[in-house]
Every structure is written in C-alpha cells, then in structure tokens.
Amino acid sequence: MPTLAANPKPNFLPPTDQPNHGLDLPPHMQRKPSHDPNPNPTPATNSNFDASPEAVLPATPPPSLLYLSFNQDHSCFAAGTDHGFWIYNCDPFREIFRRDFDHRGGGIGVVEMLYRCYILALVGGGPNPQYPPNKVMIWDDNQNRCIGEVSFSSEVRSVWLRRDRIVVVLEHKIFVYNFADLKLLHQIETIANPKGLCAVSQGAGSLVLVCPGLQKGQVRIEHYAWKRTKFNLAHDSRIACFALSQDGQLLATASTKGTLVRVYNTVDGSLLQEVRRGSR
C-alpha cells in the first residue's frame, strides 16, 4: 500500500484549482476501479524478530533511480525509483511529495507530471515493477488510484502529457491519444527508438510533435493544426537527442557522433544555427 511522506503535497494542486493548468476528466474515467494492489493493508510482522537490545534489524537498501523528468513548466521534476516515485520542487529545491509502494515491488520506470496537479502517468520498471512495463497507468493521487490505463504489445519507452493529449512512445511506434476519453487519434511508425526519443510542444497553441523518422539521422515533425508532416535529415549519424521549444517553433538536434548541435525552424525545416563542439 502506498505511504505518504510527512507534509505531503503542499505544492500539488487539484486541476480545478489551477487556472490554465487544469484538466477536467469525464465522469466515466473517475469511476474506473482502483488498481491499488493492496487496498486493505495489514501491519507487517516478523516472527523472527528479536526484541532484545542486542538485536539489529537489517538495513534497508537505498532506492535505485530509474527515471527523471521535468514537468511542463520546469517548476518541478519527478524521479521514478525501484520502490515508487518522488516529486521535487526546483526553486527552492526541496522534496514536496513521495509515494513508496510495497517493498516487494513498486518499481516505476516512467513518471510524468501534468504541471503541478495530482494527475500523473506511470509505467512500471526495474526488477520488480509496480505495473506491467507495457501499460501506461493514469494515476490520480487525489483519489489515490488509477483512473485509466492503456496497454500495448511491447514495452513503453516514454510518455508525454499535455492538458489535451497523451503521447506514448514504444520502440517502433508512437501513439497519440485524447486525454479526456483515451481515444486513439494518431499513430506513427519510427526507426528503432529504444530511448523513447520524442518532443511535444507545451504552448497554448496546437500540438507540435517531433520524433525520429524512418531512416538514420532523420526527424519527423508533425504540425497537427495544419495537418502537415515534414521530414528533416538532421544528421548523418543516428539521432542521440533533441529538444523542442515550448511553442514548437524551434527544434535542436544532436547525433551520436556528438560533434555539433543544429537548430531548425519546424515550420519550413530550415537550418537556423549550427554549434560545433569547442566553438565559442
């Protein structure tokens, strides 16, 4: 059963209390059954416990870090561990929330926040995952339960949240869902993408999504407002990482060769700037 740390959720706000950052979920999602693996926990006991002063309890190993991600406005970041997940405030830096699952499992390989509200996307990970690694669980910490889930035939590599969309990245495919009812809106095939590379605009405008294309060094840019798809051969080597501006207008890319960063205009695909390693 999850346990709360002291002073839980001081900076977490329910979606209805956050102007421009809220998410009103439909009633049918609110009524989904709980996926809490142990809704009625009993106190742990140890028949071999020696209450004498000389008895020494085994030390609990520190948690192993499995995942890190910022929320949409970079005011917080989330850490997935082999026992649960933690949420930290960036400025001032402090832990604001923690949920530790059962000691026999509880691994969270992906944890994505929706701004500062109670809604998170969770994927199991590590040697003892809390959830199957091929499922995305939509967790409402205000209700202390999962309110939705989406299953896949292979492991989930990453998840991106917007107020209106959920983007799920597998090794060879990307799925775009409507957040309100989890309706599948679009799917994209990519080259092998074991790191789950993807970037999603977070501005108030329409969704811009960037992902690997179907060949080495290529990026695919989706402008959903214009129903336009653009492919850019950004590098000769495989893409190592990329980042998208909040409004989706600028894209920075780097390859596995690691010698330069290129900045593109996502509207027309033009190269705006090139920064080589060691240059000033």
Side-chain angles (χ1 to χ4, degrees):
M1 177 70 176
T3 57
L4 291 177
N7 190 25
K9 300 194 286 286
N11 282 348
F12 265 1
L13 299 175
T16 53
D17 291 347
Q18 299 188 76
N20 301 322
H21 288 177
L23 174 68
D24 294 324
L25 295 173
H28 75 274
M29 290 184 69
Q30 301 288 345
R31 293 196 296 268
K32 276 188 173 290
S34 171
H35 290 270
D36 190 331
N38 187 12
N40 298 302
T42 56
T45 59
N46 186 348
S47 58
N48 294 323
F49 175 69
D50 184 353
S52 65
E54 293 79 14
V56 178
L57 294 176
T60 302
S64 297
L65 183 64
L66 302 178
Y67 189 82
L68 279 175
S69 66
F70 282 97
N71 69 343
Q72 288 79 0
D73 60 10
H74 300 95
S75 62
C76 297
F77 68 90
T81 75
D82 56 354
H83 293 302
F85 61 88
W86 300 349
I87 306 295
Y88 291 87
N89 195 69
C90 291
D91 187 15
F93 175 73
R94 63 190 177 96
E95 179 186 313
I96 59 172
F97 176 70
R98 155 188 318 206
R99 186 166 288 280
D100 294 319
F101 294 103
D102 192 285
H103 66 278
R104 292 168 295 180
I108 298 297
V110 174
V111 51
E112 289 290 336
M113 302 176 65
L114 184 63
Y115 289 92
R116 299 181 72 94
C117 75
Y118 293 123
I119 306 298
L120 303 109
L122 304 177
V123 179
N128 297 296
Q130 175 70 9
Y131 306 110
N134 66 325
K135 284 187 177 183
V136 176
M137 314 299 292
I138 308 302
W139 177 271
D140 183 342
D141 213 88
N142 193 37
Q143 300 186 50
N144 189 26
R145 68 186 183 98
C146 288
I147 57 172
E149 64 178 73
V150 189
S151 300
F152 303 91
S153 59
S154 60
E155 289 189 14
V156 175
R157 301 298 183 179
S158 66
V159 181
W160 291 77
L161 298 184
R162 281 172 47 108
R163 291 187 292 272
D164 57 349
R165 298 289 185 266
I166 301 174
V167 178
V168 181
V169 184
L170 310 184
E171 184 162 351
H172 291 276
K173 280 191 176 182
I174 293 176
F175 297 88
V176 181
Y177 294 89
N178 187 48
F179 207 144
D181 54 10
L182 297 183
K183 179 183 178 181
L184 179 62
L185 303 176
H186 191 208
Q187 54 182 310
I188 301 169
E189 292 189 7
T190 70
I191 196 172
N193 185 19
K195 293 183 178 180
L197 298 179
C198 185
V200 174
S201 63
Q202 295 294 342
S206 178
L207 171 64
V208 179
L209 182 151
V210 177
C211 63
L214 287 171
Q215 56 181 290
K216 181 178 67 175
Q218 186 184 68
V219 293
R220 173 173 178 158
I221 304 169
E222 292 285 341
H223 282 273
Y224 284 90
W226 306 328
K227 298 182 180 179
R228 179 187 300 171
T229 302
K230 186 164 189 62
F231 293 91
N232 257 33
L233 189 59
H235 299 272
D236 295 329
S237 305
R238 286 184 174 272
I239 300 294
C241 61
F242 47 71
L244 190 63
S245 60
Q246 288 282 92
D247 61 6
Q249 299 299 303
L250 299 176
L251 171 67
T253 67
S255 73
T256 54
K257 192 173 181 181
T259 56
L260 56 85
V261 173
R262 288 178 171 148
V263 180
Y264 292 93
N265 182 324
T266 63
V267 177
D268 58 15
S270 60
L271 177 64
L272 301 178
Q273 191 170 359
E274 185 173 285
V275 182
R276 292 189 174 275
R277 185 174 62 182
S279 63
R280 298 190 180 186

